[in-house]
Structure formats: C-alpha cells, structure tokens
C-alpha cells in the first residue's frame, strides 16, 4: 500500500519533471538560431518555398501554440515524425526539397525504439564491467583507510577519471582492435562489438563508484554498531559482508540514480566514436541535422528514463534501509 | 574480600595497567568479581572507567594498550591469550554500552540481529531455538508484544526499549559476566530507574556477575553490592554502598559526596518566591502548538500535539523553572516563548505585546528585550568565528553603537562573565564547554534584555562548572535585574535555583508550584514519580516502589482522551480516562492538574469503581 | 567519558584553526597533492610561456615538415617538434599547449559559474524550505533529468559555439548537482542551534544566509569543485571532438584529436599525443582535487 502511494506520488512528480524538460528543450530549439527547414530543403531552395514548408509544418506559429500541439501529441503517444529521416532506406537528401510527402518520414518513437535496446545493452554491460572494477578496489580501500589499498583506490580513480572517453576509445580501438585484433569495435555486427565500447564506458564510470564506495564503506566501518559488533561476538566476515556492505550500498545506489545522465553522456560520445548504432549516435545525428522532433523525443524519453530509474533506485534503497522514508 | 558468596571469582583483575602511548590511563587496578555480584565503578570523566570496561571486554583500540597486570577470567589470563579473549567476547563476557541508539545495524530487524549474535557465538543453537530464546528474553525485559517487536527495526524502538534490547543481546548467550558501561546515561530518569531495577532482577534470575560502570554516585550506590571509586586511573577505594556513604575512606570520595546536590535537605537554599510586588514580565495564556508530520507508512498527516493549553505567569526577578522528561514539550514551549515558532492559539504577552502574533519586524525589535541561551555549548556558537565577532554580532544586528563602542562593550561583557580579555580574537575551538556557555550568556546579555530563557543551558556541564555558572547567573541577576526562565530536565538544578517551577508531561503543565511546595508536597502523581527517580543519596521522600512508573509515555500523536498521564498513573481511576483535569489552585499559589486534589469527587469515583 | 578524549590538548589546537585552513594543511601534507601541484604548475607555465618563447605558431602550416613523429619514434623525429607534427606540418606541442589554455579557461570559468548558480539555488532552497524548496527542486530535477551533454550539444549544435556560449551552456547545465549538495548541507546547517541563536538575536534571513551560513558551507564545496574543473575540461574536449567546441583553426584538444583521427592508421601520434597530454593535466588536477576531498572528509568526519 505504502509502496503504491509512493509510486503514485513519484510518478506525478515525474510527469511534472518531464513536462518541464520538454518545455525547456522545445523552447530552446525554437529560440536559438538555425532554421531546420533551410537544412531540410537544402541551401538552394527559394525563400518562399521555405516559408511555405515552414508554415505548413506549423513552425511559424507562436511557440506556446506549437508546444501545446506537440505535447498533446506526446500524451497520445505520438512524438511526431523526423524531419529528415525516411521511414526506411536511404536518408532523404537535401536536394529533394520538392518531396513533401512527409508521411514517408520515420516516426520518432520508432527510431528511438529501434536504437534504445542497443544502448541499454551497452549501458548494462558497461555497468557490469564498472562494478567488476570498482567493487574490489573500492571495498578494499574503504576497509583499510589510510593504508595502501586506500591509496591505490585514490590513484586509480584519479587516473581513470582523467581519461577522456573519446581519446581512450580511439587508443583502445587502435591497440586492441587494430593492432592486436582481439575484439572488433567499429560498427555493430554482433555482441562482440559491444565489449570494447562497454569497457571504455566502464572506465569512465568506475572512478565515481570507487570514490563513493571507499567513502561509504569507511564511513560505515567507523560507525558504532560495527565497532560494537566485535564485542558482541560477531566475526569479521559477518561484520563486513552482512552489515558493512549492506549499509554502504545505499550511497552507491543513490549515485547510480544521480549519475544516470553522466552515463548517458558517456554513451553518446562512445557510440559516436565506435559508430555503434544506439540512441547516442541517433542523438548526435539528430543535432547535426537539426531534426527537432527527434531531439525533443530523445530528451523526453531520457528524462522519463531518468525519473523511472530514480524511482527504482529509491525503492531499492528503501528496501535495504527501512529508515529511509518513502 | 567481603562478598556474599563463597565461590571462586568469575573475574579477577590483578594490577591491571593501561596506557595511551606513554601516558598511563589506568594504574594497578585489582579487584575480584563473584557470580551474582554487582560491582559498580564510578569516577568523573577521564577517570579511566570506560577504558577499564573496554580493557575487560578486550576492546582496546590504538593508542590504548595493556601495559601490565592480569585479567583472569575463570582463572585464565586474557591479557596473555588474545585469541581466547576474542572467543569469549560476546559469549562469556557480554558488554552493553551507553549508546543504544547506534548499537545495532539500522538495516536489519532487532530480532534478526539477536539471532545472528547468538548463533555467531553459539553455532550449535538452531535458528528457531535462537528466535524462541530471543523473544522469551525480550519478554523478560518487559518489552511489550515481544513477538511483534522481534520483527521491528532499531529505529522503531525508543531509547529505553533499545537499551533493554541491548541487555537482551548481552544476556542471550547466558554469559557469566556482564559489563554494563554507562547504560543509563542517555535515558530519562524514570526510564533509567526502570532499567536499573530490571538489571537487578536479571542479575538475580540469571546469576550473572555485573560490572556496572557509571558516573553518578547515587545511581552506583542504588544499583550495586560494592562500589569501586576510580580517580585518575587508580582505585581510590572500594566498599559496599552503605559503608561508602557512611564512612568514605578517601578524600576524593568525601569530595564527591559533599558535591552531590540535595533535594530535601532543609538547609538547601531555595530562592525565595517573588521579591516585591508580583509584576508579570511574561504572561502565557492557553498556548497550544501542534505539528503536522507525515508518519512512516501512513496516509495523510498525523497531528503531534506538542504543547497543549499551557498558561502561567513569570514575574519580574523570578527564577522560573520548567521541568520534564524528553518529549514533554518543553523544547516546543521554548520555541514558542522565543518567537521561533508561532502558537496555534493562545497568547504570549511580553512587555505588553504578544510574541505569538507580532509581525516579523516588531518581533525582531522585541528580541532585544528577551534572549535565549541554548543547550549545546558546541552547536550554539557560529563555528569559525572569533569570540569578539560573536559578541558584537547582536549589536550589529540591532545597529547599536559604533565599531569602537561595540568592541568596548564586547570586552566589558567578556569581563563580566569571566572570559579572559586576551580571548577577543580567539576562535571558539579551544574553549571548554563551561567557557562556551559563558560566551553564550555574554552574547545574550550584551543586548541588556529583561528576560533570559535558559534552555538546558547547564546540562552539558559537570557539577563543579554548573555551580560556578549558577553563581554567575545570580550575580548578573543582582546587577542587571534579569528575570530567568530555566528549562531543564534536572531536578536538582531547578531545586537549587528556581523560585517557582512548572512540571510538564506530554505537552501539558501538570503542576506549577513554588520550589519548597513542589519538593515537599507535590500535587501531581507524575511530580512524585519524577522525585522518586531523582538520583540522590538522601532518604527518598517518595519511594520508587510506590511511585515508579511502568512503561513509557504514550506517543503525543494519538493521545488518549482524559488525563494524558492516566496510562502510567498508579492512582488512575475511571474519570481520569474520560476527562482531562485542568490546573486547580491548591492554595498558596500552587496549582496541579489532578482529580486527586478534589477530595470529594475522587472518593465518589472510587466508590463507583 | 569516552576513549576519544584521550588527547584533548592536541584536538583543541586543531579545532582552533578554521576548517578551511585545516583542509588546506591536511591536503597539502599529502604526497598526492604535491605531485599534482608540481605537475600542474609546470604545465601551466609551459602553456603560458612555451608558444611565445619558442616562437612556433601553432597554426602555421609547413608542408615540408608534415607528419613528423614524436621524439625517438620513426626516423624523421627532431627536437624542434618534441610531439611531432600533424598532416599540415603544425607543431603538436605548441598546439597542445594552446589547447590547454582554452581548456583551462573554459574548465575554470564553467566550474565557477556552476558553483555560483548551484550554491545560490541550493542556499535559498535549503534555507527557506517549503514552497520555495519545492519549486527550485523540481526545476533542479528537470535540469538533472536532461543529460548535460545532450543539452549542451543541442544548444551548441543549433547555435554557433563560441567560448562564452560554451562556458554558459556547460555552466548552466552543470549546476543541479551543486544545488542538491548545497541544499542538503544548508538544511542540516540551518537546523543547528547557532542558526537558531542568530534568529533569536534578531538577525534577518538574508544576514543569516549570506553572512553566517554561506561562508561556512561554500569553501568545503569549492575545494571539491576542483574535481569538476577536470570534468569540465573533458566536456570541453568532447564538444571539440564532436565539432561543437571552439572552432578551428584555434587548436583545442577536442578538435586536434578529431582531426588526427582521420590519420590514425599512418600517423597515430596526432590523435593520441594531445590526448596523453590532456590526461597528464587532468590527472594532476584530479590528484589535487581528490586530496582536497579526502582532507575535507577527514576534517568533517573527525570534527
């Protein structure tokens, strides 16, 4: 029952957040310079034609009117159609400005639905790698504050966090894929193509996990109940694995919630470098092509994902630590 | 050795010495502890009593280490054999600390942790058996609905209940030795008294030997068979309580006994009530404040009635006391009196204006005339400010004087409260608790207010320092004509300084009486219970057996109809559960809210019952 | 009472310093911080002086000197171009150093902007609570819900990237985390007794917020913001890499690497050397930042 009420409250809050996000993105796209119709129609198109297309598409209406129309569509599950991408096959070139059959252009939702699973696969694998790296280093550091495992955690996380993801991607692709030919990396022709991008992403996330883990584990280990547990007769293993790690996992969960956007940012760049056909590549292309409906759609979907992930994180945190109120 | 039993000692300590680095913390401690015996260890802070407790529990952390002597547990030396000591910890030698709030993992149920602990030291016991035993013991320490409480989390337990749970945790493995380190320290007096009684009962029932560490001589004497007095890491003396009080051997013990405040000593100087014509400085009428809180896992908001229909007057030059245990609403009342919060209804008239409804700017102006001195000497001063700046801040806020005048004023106030002049540019970090409270007082009085509200101002200080500050308050009152309101949980303190005292219970004032009257003829059963639980060596006027309360105060969220105290009152009858008594004058300006003070109706109801 | 007051004298001396100076001292005492500081100072000096002193123009083309590998690599290496040259014969070292200037400028400016906006939003939100808090926090959540990079490339992608617009966009995209941290610190701080004491003395809300609370809580946050300078420098280079950063011919790490990527198979150093340079810079900053963060945690944990 309480969970249900919590869900309802948080989902309502989430709707507000997503609404704000879409209003923000929508307005931004329309106030910053850069006319998408010009790009769609191509540089050669006469001014009058551009105006005609723009008016027909409703791009010359006042922004609130455009937004109301758009958000109405979103509520019906209609995120509109891409300005430039065809429903299938080759990209609609700039030359074909007389081609006004917009019905053939891809639906935003379809584009997102096609690419999202790829990105989720990449993100999950990256998460697994990141945890594999961060858990041993972070926990060892937290259990031995001031001693060498702690220093190692500090140095390693400082170095990891200093590696720009795109550079590391290039270097690893050069060394691992080209020189050593261990795993393939450019494009996507099977699961193996996810490994290297996921690893690069993991290196980007790991330092934050390591830092949070060392701080939270050492913080929990300094608490009274851990100290007293020894006098109560519990063994070291019980103390660390049943109590300390459980308590220390809550900040880690919260980190995952807050750093979700960082993860997505990383995904974007890495997909771009590895030419990995996910949401990130879609986003960059959408921006380059000034494909407003697609940018809006991606922003709304990612905001919604952020909201949902944070709800899940809070639910999980409450399950671990019942003191946290819903 | 004078002991009740002829058996071998459970614990024999011989010449134990502990040092922190090069500095000796304990020197040459020797004693025996027999089964069923309770040995109290008392001493001031820094006397090494906690170190002793930890040394015995094999729980010394750097830089502390044992430098000499033996700890013989059933004849085996734990100092020589740390592995054995570790095996015994929690199983044969149990430890209960003074901070029950943080003693268990907050993310697991109390029951699961009791079972975990028992099975960690006794792997041969099955989970089901461990659970049965845990519930049985929870029941034995009088935790209501033990089977249900077994499934609850530590944060759902109150402080007193948590301490009982920790006692269960210690006793669940049937240890022959229990080390109880300051176990009553954070608890309210009435709850602490229950815990002590419980500990004695359990000691008889399970024949556990108890080493009872505490910092209060009266508590130690109440609780134990023998008392060991520690002074600066050495045993000052060791005697049974009666002998210790009658005939203390060491000068240190004599000093401790002499310093103890007395509640009923006829010679105690109690400030005379009202000096001159009674002019109310502060008039409180029907003040009430409720908070709306969202309760865990429940729909909507619950209403906590923190202060309910409180009325009293404070007169010019008065020392008015407000006493009660934690959760009684005295802090909420303080926030209302100082205008930090607005009452839901009622009036707080100070100097002809209502604090409760004054607009913000008017209130800010009024604040010059009434000031608050807060409880926590560490949290109440702005961190990282030099002392001079702290003192000049109130003057700056109210735009008083030039920079030079403010500086002058700050120096003179420092002088008045006894802070050395050279501290003007110091940060507060190096000050002792007592000095900090002096600084707090100085900051409050620099605006020359009429009324000073002292919220637990002295409770963080030790006996000696309290005495000095009380003298300071008295001197300042004589010089500046302050009126004081003391908000406190400490009966001995209000007994010493207050002319009139209000007793609060669950948001209500249940009794208001002049000092002598309250202590010699209390008009409310709750006042009597408080007095019976007060830590003192004197012969009690109110026997704990007659007055001691069962259970803990009900939650202020769902208050029962009728008298809020009825659920714990030994004298409650039907009417108490239906109707809430109001303050009635008992003559001599003493008021109490209890039907027992209306002889006619009380006997009538009793006849019905 | 407790075992912890064994050395009251030492504690008191420590407590008598302000928290900020304790954090500084503690951080400065650590080897990580010193290593980071030395490397960082050397790099900054090089970035400030080398391009002018050596007289090598980072944008000067020289077809004769194109694709020279770094020191000791290949056969054509020369001391004149320690990091080699690119496909147009431009000196990689001076290009990297000029890139470092922009990178640092943008990193520091962005972080300061983030810190300021975040601190003020968090301060208001945490101090007033209630409705103010609700509105500000929903805004913060909304901002946090859009991945920073998406917001940044969207704005910069459809408008023209210039240095001020990059700073503005990154700064405005990054403040929510600070706002959240600030809010929670201010909330716990404003529940403390000294704030209550100030109210009772008659201080106004503005006075309490800006003279009492802010000076206390801002420095510890600012120390840790050092880490974000590095993070923002990475963001800047990411933008440059995608082509949305400072535009060529001005060299930045991002656009150098993006450029060099095309020649990666036959001139690997164009893409990797500036990156290695950036990594060294970032590591030095991150070491200092991490040491400061640790010192802060230690000071607060032990206080």
């Amino acid at each position: 029952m309480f969970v249900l009420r919590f869900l309802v409250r948080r989902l309502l809050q989430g709707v507000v957040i997503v609404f704000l996000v879409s209003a923000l993105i929508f307005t931004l796209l329309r106030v910053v310079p850069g006319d998408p119709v010009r790009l769609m129609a191509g540089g050669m198109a006469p001014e009058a034609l551009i105006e005609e297309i723009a008016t027909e598409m409703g791009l010359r209406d006042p922004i609130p009117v455009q937004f109301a129309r758009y958000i109405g569509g979103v509520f019906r599950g209609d995120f509109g159609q891409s300005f430039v991408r065809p429903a299938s096959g080759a990209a609609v070139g700039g030359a074909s400005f007389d081609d006004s059959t917009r019905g053939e252009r891809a639906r935003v939702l379809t584009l997102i639905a096609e690419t999202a699973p790829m990105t989720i696969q990449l993100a999950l694998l990256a998460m697994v790698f990141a945890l594999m790296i961060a858990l041993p280093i972070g926990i060892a550091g937290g259990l031995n504050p001031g001693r060498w495992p702690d220093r190692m955690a500090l140095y390693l996380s400082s170095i990891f966090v200093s590696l720009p993801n795109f550079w590391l991607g290039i270097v690893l692709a050069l060394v691992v894929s080209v020189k050593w030919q261990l795993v393939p990396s450019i494009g996507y022709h099977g699961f193996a193509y996810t490994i290297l991008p996921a690893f690069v992403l993991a290196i980007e996330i790991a330092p934050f996990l390591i830092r949070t883990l060392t701080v939270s584990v050492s913080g929990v280990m300094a608490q009274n109940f851990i100290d007293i547990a020894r006098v109560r007769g519990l063994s070291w293993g019980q103390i660390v694995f049943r109590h300390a790690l459980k308590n220390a996992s809550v900040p880690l969960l919260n980190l995952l919630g807050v750093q979700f956007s960082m993860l997505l940012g990383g995904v974007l760049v890495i997909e771009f470098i590895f030419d990995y056909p996910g949401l990130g590549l879609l986003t960059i292309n959408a921006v380059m092509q000034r494909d407003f409906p697609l940018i809006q759609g991606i922003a709304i979907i990612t905001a919604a994902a952020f909201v949902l992930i944070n709800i899940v994180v809070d639910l999980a945190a409450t399950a671990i630590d019942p003191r946290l109120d819903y | 050795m004078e002991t009740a039993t002829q058996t071998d000692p459970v614990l024999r300590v011989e010449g134990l010495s502990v040092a922190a680095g090069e500095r000796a913390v304990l020197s040459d401690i020797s004693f025996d502890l027999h089964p069923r015996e309770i040995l109290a260890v008392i001493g001031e802070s820094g006397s090494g009593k906690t170190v002793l407790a930890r040394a015995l529990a094999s729980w010394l952390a750097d830089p502390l280490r044992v430098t000499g002597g033996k700890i013989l547990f059933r004849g085996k030396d734990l100092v020589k054999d740390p592995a054995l000591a570790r095996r015994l910890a929690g199983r044969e030698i149990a430890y209960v600390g003074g901070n029950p709030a943080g003693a268990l993992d907050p993310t697991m149920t109390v029951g699961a942790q009791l079972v975990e602990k028992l099975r960690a030291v006794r792997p041969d016991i099955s989970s089901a058996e461990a659970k049965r035993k845990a519930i049985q013991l929870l029941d034995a320490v009088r935790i209501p609905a033990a089977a249900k409480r077994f499934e609850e989390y530590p944060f759902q337990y109150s402080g007193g209940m948590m301490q009982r749970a920790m006692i269960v945790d210690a006793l669940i493995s049937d240890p022959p030795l229990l080390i109880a380190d300051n176990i009553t320290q954070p608890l309210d007096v009435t709850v602490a008294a229950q815990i002590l009684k419980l500990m004695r009962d359990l000691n008889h029932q399970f024949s556990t030997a108890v080493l009872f560490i505490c910092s209060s001589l009266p508590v130690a004497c109440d609780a134990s068979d023998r008392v060991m007095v520690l002074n600066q890491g050495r045993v000052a003396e060791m005697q049974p309580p009666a002998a210790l009080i009658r005939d203390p051997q060491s000068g240190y013990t004599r000093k401790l006994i002499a310093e103890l405040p007395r509640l009923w000593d006829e010679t105690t100087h109690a400030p005379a009530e009202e000096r001159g014509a009674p002019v109310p400085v502060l008039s409180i009428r029907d003040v009430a404040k409720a908070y709306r809180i969202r309760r865990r896992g429940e729909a909507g908001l619950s209403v906590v009635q923190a202060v309910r229909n409180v009325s009293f007057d404070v007169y010019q030059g008065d020392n008015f006391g407000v006493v009660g245990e934690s959760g009684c609403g005295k802090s909420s009342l303080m926030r209302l009196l100082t205008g930090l919060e607005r009452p839901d209804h009622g009036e707080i008239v100070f100097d002809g204006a209502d604090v409760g409804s004054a607009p913000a700017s008017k209130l800010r102006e009024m604040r010059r005339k009434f000031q608050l001195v807060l409880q926590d000497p560490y949290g109440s001063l702005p961190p990282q400010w030099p002392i001079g700046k702290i003192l000049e801040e109130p003057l700056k806020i109210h735009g008083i004087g030039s920079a030079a005048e403010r500086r002058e004023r700050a120096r003179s106030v420092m002088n008045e409260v006894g802070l050395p002049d050279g501290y003007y540019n110091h940060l507060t970090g190096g000050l002792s608790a007592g000095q900090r409270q002096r600084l707090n007082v100085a900051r409050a009085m620099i605006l020359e207010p009429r009324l000073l509200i002292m919220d637990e101002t002295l409770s963080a200080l030790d006996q000696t320092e309290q005495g000095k500050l009380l003298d300071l308050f008295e001197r300042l009152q004589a010089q500046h004509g302050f009126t004081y309101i003391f908000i406190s949980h400490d009966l001995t303190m209000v007994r010493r300084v207050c002319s009139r005292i209000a007793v609060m219970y669950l948001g209500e004032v249940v009794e208001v009486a002049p000092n002598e009257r309250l202590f010699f003829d209390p008009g409310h059963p709750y006042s009597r219970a408080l007095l019976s639980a007060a830590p003192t060596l004197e012969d009690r006027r109110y026997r704990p057996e007659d007055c001691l309360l069962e259970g803990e105060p009900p939650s202020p969220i769902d208050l029962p109809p009728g008298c809020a105290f009825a659920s714990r009152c030994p004298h409650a009858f039907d009417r108490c559960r239906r109707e809430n008594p109001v303050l009635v004058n008992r003559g001599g300006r003493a008021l109490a809210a209890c039907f027992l003070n209306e002889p006619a109706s009380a006997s009538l109801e009793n006849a019905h019952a | 009472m407790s075992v912890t007051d064994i050395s009251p004298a030492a504690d008191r001396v420590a407590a008598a310093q302000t928290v900020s100076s304790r954090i500084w001292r503690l951080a400065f005492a650590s080897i990580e911080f010193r290593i980071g500081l030395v490397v960082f100072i050397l790099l900054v000096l090089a970035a400030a002086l080398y391009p002018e002193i050596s007289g090598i123009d980072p944008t000067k083309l020289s077809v004769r000197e194109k694709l020279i590998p770094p020191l000791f690599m290949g056969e054509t290496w020369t001391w004149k171009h320690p990091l080699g040259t690119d496909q147009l014969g431009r000196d990689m070292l001076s290009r990297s150093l000029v890139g470092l200037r922009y990178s640092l400028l943008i990193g520091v400016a962005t972080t300061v902007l983030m810190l300021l906006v975040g601190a003020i939003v968090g301060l208001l939100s945490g101090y007033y609570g209630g409705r103010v808090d609700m509105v500000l926090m929903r805004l913060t959540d909304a901002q946090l819900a859009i991945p920073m990079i998406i917001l940044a490339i969207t704005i910069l992608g459809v408008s023209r990237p210039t240095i001020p617009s990059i700073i503005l966009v990154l700064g405005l995209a990054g403040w929510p985390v600070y706002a959240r941290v600030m809010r929670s610190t201010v909330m716990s701080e404003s529940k403390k007794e000294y704030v209550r004491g100030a109210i009772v003395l008659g201080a106004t809300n503005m006075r309490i917020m800006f003279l009492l609370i802010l000076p206390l809580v801002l420095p510890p946050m600012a120390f840790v913001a050092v880490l974000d300078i590095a993070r923002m420098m990475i963001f800047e280079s990411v933008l440059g890499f995608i082509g949305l950063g400072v535009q060529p011919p001005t060299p930045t790490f991002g656009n150098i690497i993006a450029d060099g990527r095309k020649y990666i198979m036959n001139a690997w150093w164009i893409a990797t050397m500036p990156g290695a340079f950036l990594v060294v810079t970032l590591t030095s900053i991150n070491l200092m930042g991490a040491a400061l963060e640790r010192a802060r945690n230690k000071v607060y944990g032990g206080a």
Side-chain angles (χ1 to χ4, degrees), chain B residues 267-305:
Chain B
T267 63
T268 299
H269 150 77
E273 190 195 351
E274 86 201 52
R275 304 148 187 186
V279 189
V281 176
L282 185 69
S283 259
I284 299 170
R285 287 290 166 268
D286 294 327
V287 165
K289 177 77 186 175
Y291 299 99
R292 281 166 201 290
I293 56 157
R294 211 164 57 78
R295 253 213 291 184
R296 188 176 301 280
E298 268 179 36
L301 298 172
S302 309
V303 176
V304 177
Q305 299 191 318

Side-chain angles (χ1 to χ4, degrees), chain A residues 13 16-18 20-21 24-25 28-29 32-34 146 150-151 153-155 157-159 161-167 170-171 174 178-179 186 208 211 214-215 258-262 264-266 268-269 272-275 283-284 287-288 290 292 295 298-299 302-304 306-307 310, chain C residues 30-32 35 138-139 141-151 153-160 177 180 224 227 230-231 234-235 237-238 241-244 253-254 257-258 261 264-265 268 271-284 286-287 290-291 293-294 297:
Chain A
Q13 277 180 11
V16 174
I17 290 172
V18 172
L20 284 175
V21 166
L24 185 72
I25 279 283
L28 265 177
L29 285 175
V32 293
D150 186 29
R151 308 224 140 231
L154 178 87
Y155 286 123
S157 59
S158 292
I159 291 172
V161 84
S162 305
L163 297 171
N165 48 15
F166 63 95
W167 179 79
I170 292 173
V171 171
L174 183 66
V178 180
K179 282 252 165 66
I186 308 294
F208 296 91
R211 247 174 38 204
T214 28
V215 171
V258 178
Q259 296 292 2
F260 169 74
S261 63
M262 194 193 73
L264 265 183
L268 193 125
V269 178
F272 178 64
I273 296 166
F274 289 99
D275 202 23
T283 312
I284 292 195
V287 171
M288 299 300 180
R290 286 179 174 58
F292 288 3
I295 300 176
I298 291 171
T302 46
F306 173 84
V307 167
N310 273 287
Chain C
S30 73
I31 187 84
E32 296 89 31
I35 296 175
R138 282 301 87 75
L139 268 179
D141 285 346
Q143 173 86 73
L144 209 55
I146 317 178
M148 178 165 166
I149 192 96
I150 291 188
L151 191 66
I153 67 167
T154 305
I155 299 176
L156 295 172
V158 292
S159 67
R160 245 195 86 73
V177 178
R180 277 199 172 180
V224 178
L227 291 170
R231 212 160 63 88
I234 292 189
F235 265 117
S237 65
V238 166
F241 182 74
I242 305 178
L244 300 176
F253 286 118
I257 296 174
R261 199 181 166 210
I264 189 112
M265 299 314 289
W268 54 268
T272 50
M273 271 305 164
F277 202 84
L278 178 59
V279 170
V280 172
T281 316
L282 294 175
T283 310
S284 72
N286 278 321
L287 278 177
E293 188 191 35
R294 293 219 153 183
N297 290 347

Side-chain angles (χ1 to χ4, degrees), chain C residues 179-199:
Chain C
R180 277 199 172 180
V181 175
M182 189 70 176
R183 169 178 175 267
S184 64
T185 0
V186 170
M187 267 188 160
S188 71
E189 210 63 27
S190 56
K191 281 194 199 104
K192 288 197 180 154
E193 285 211 335
Y194 72 87
V195 173
R196 223 195 263 168
I199 300 176

Side-chain angles (χ1 to χ4, degrees), chain A residues 2 5 224-225 227-228 231-234 238 242-243 246-247 320-323 325-326, chain B residues 59 89-90 95 99 102-103 105-108 113 116-117 120 153 155 169 294 296-297:
Chain A
F2 316 137
R5 199 165 33 246
N224 197 21
F225 71 87
D227 208 10
I228 248 171
V231 189
R232 288 173 61 222
L234 301 195
Q238 276 174 317
R242 293 202 52 182
H243 298 284
K246 187 177 178 195
N247 276 275
I320 292 175
D321 187 346
R323 280 174 308 172
D325 209 349
Y326 283 128
Chain B
W59 188 24
Y95 176 93
N99 179 9
D105 185 342
T107 66
M108 279 169 74
Q113 297 190 61
E116 181 192 23
K117 131 106 195 201
Y153 289 92
F155 69 85
D169 183 80
R294 211 164 57 78
R296 188 176 301 280

Side-chain angles (χ1 to χ4, degrees), chain C residues 222-273:
Chain C
F223 285 134
V224 178
V226 169
L227 291 170
D228 265 330
I229 295 180
R231 212 160 63 88
M232 288 300 127
M233 286 168 68
I234 292 189
F235 265 117
E236 186 270 338
S237 65
V238 166
L239 288 178
F241 182 74
I242 305 178
L244 300 176
V246 181
Q247 295 298 304
T250 308
T252 65
F253 286 118
N255 66 32
I256 300 173
I257 296 174
D259 240 13
R261 199 181 166 210
K262 299 169 200 146
Y263 304 90
I264 189 112
M265 299 314 289
N266 43 6
W268 54 268
W269 59 89
I270 307 179
T272 50
M273 271 305 164

Side-chain angles (χ1 to χ4, degrees), chain B residues 311-524:
Chain B
S311 302
F312 56 78
D313 290 321
V314 179
Y315 300 109
Q316 175 69 45
D318 222 348
N319 285 348
F320 192 84
V322 177
V323 289
E325 295 178 282
S326 53
C328 73
K330 53 188 196 299
S331 305
S332 306
L333 182 64
M334 178 277 289
R335 286 199 291 274
L336 296 176
L337 296 188
T338 49
L340 285 169
E341 279 169 19
R342 310 267 172 161
D344 295 339
H345 64 79
E347 285 187 326
I348 302 166
V349 180
F350 173 77
D351 226 5
D354 183 8
V355 174
S357 62
S361 59
K362 166 80 178 158
L363 185 62
R364 244 196 310 279
E365 216 168 285
M366 286 170 75
R367 290 193 193 284
R368 278 190 66 172
K369 292 284 162 221
F370 63 89
Q371 277 298 316
L372 172 69
V373 181
L374 290 155
Q375 163 180 19
D376 174 8
Y378 292 89
S380 54
L381 295 169
Q384 304 176 36
W385 281 30
I387 290 167
K389 185 177 174 191
I390 291 174
L391 287 175
E392 288 166 24
E393 177 73 4
L395 298 174
K396 271 190 219 157
I397 288 170
H398 291 278
I400 300 169
S402 65
E405 282 164 3
R406 287 198 289 262
R407 202 180 158 88
E408 197 40 53
R409 188 85 190 88
R411 285 185 185 280
S412 86
V413 179
M414 279 171 71
N415 184 30
E416 257 188 285
V417 299
L419 286 172
D421 200 50
Y423 279 18
Y424 181 84
N425 284 319
H426 281 214
L427 294 179
T428 52
L431 299 187
S432 70
Q435 284 173 321
R436 281 159 177 266
Q437 286 309 52
R438 282 165 198 268
L439 179 55
N440 261 326
V441 173
R443 178 172 66 164
M445 60 175 273
I446 200 164
L447 288 169
E448 292 170 354
R450 287 177 67 193
L451 176 66
L452 275 170
I453 299 170
M454 306 286 191
D455 179 22
E456 300 274 11
T457 302
L458 301 176
S459 51
L461 307 180
D462 65 35
Q463 210 59 248
T464 328
E465 196 60 41
Q466 277 195 10
K468 285 187 203 153
L469 269 171
L470 286 176
D471 291 342
L472 172 69
F473 291 166
E474 217 167 300
R475 209 176 65 232
L476 295 175
Q477 186 167 44
Q479 277 167 15
H480 299 268
F482 294 146
T483 303
Y484 289 122
I485 296 179
F486 289 94
I487 296 173
S488 179
H489 69 278
D490 181 358
L491 282 170
T492 55
M493 202 277 283
V494 295
R495 166 71 174 145
R496 189 178 149 190
V497 292
C498 294
S499 44
R500 286 194 313 135
I501 296 157
V503 179
M504 285 189 78
Y505 183 77
L506 272 180
E508 283 181 314
V509 170
V510 295
E511 178 160 10
V512 186
N515 187 326
E516 300 275 326
R517 186 77 187 271
L518 179 71
F519 283 87
F520 286 91
D521 178 23
H524 196 280

